[in-house]
Amino acid sequence: MNTEIHLRPVTRDDLAVLATLNNTGPEMASTFGWFGWTDPVGLTRRWEGNGLLTPDSGHLVVAEGEAMLGLVSWHRSPQGPLNHSWNIGVGILPEARGRGVGTAAQRMLVRYLFAHTQVNRIDANTDVTNVAEQRALEKAGFTREGVLRGAQFRNGKYHDMVLFSILRHEAPVE
């Protein structure tokens, strides 16, 4: 994999590609990332309001040089009255899949979130049949914790999800 893969804020020019990734169908979003049609301008409205970066959530582009390869995201997940963790996700464009981009992007996002926020835990979940993403999370340093039965509604039925996490002291330093 090219070492020029990096994360950067979403720009206006990225919005059309992100809309394609999220609103074209399962061929672009993948079987595991397709949840049906969404508001076609909702992402643009949110970007215009806050650049898709808030204290409670965010989106960053995964890029190689100037080329967009996908997107990483995170949102606050309450862990009682005093603490929260981040729950992260990744969406990689079809032409960039299968070459370690998702693993690298998730590893970079973990480093970013631990460097710039005070959370102690980052978690991610994926479909029990999404073996590629499970491997990517493990390669990024995450530990498999268990199965969330019937946790996600997608394509007309409920699916089991696998929960992974990484703690601050477990994160790779680079």
Side-chain angles (χ1 to χ4, degrees), residues 22-99:
N22 294 326
N23 226 11
T24 302
E27 300 76 30
M28 280 295 280
S30 86
T31 301
F32 305 109
W34 174 245
F35 295 92
W37 306 111
T38 61
D39 176 359
V41 295
L43 192 66
T44 299
R45 275 195 306 268
R46 290 195 329 264
W47 180 84
E48 288 171 347
N50 59 32
L52 301 177
L53 296 168
T54 76
D56 294 324
S57 65
H59 294 76
L60 294 171
V61 166
V62 180
E64 185 173 35
E66 296 298 314
M68 175 194 268
L69 303 178
L71 185 76
V72 290
S73 63
W74 65 96
H75 67 272
R76 183 181 295 260
S77 180
Q79 303 296 327
L82 301 178
N83 299 336
H84 73 276
S85 61
W86 295 121
N87 180 271
I88 68 168
V90 63
I92 303 299
L93 294 168
E95 59 270 20
R97 293 179 191 151
R99 56 184 189 106

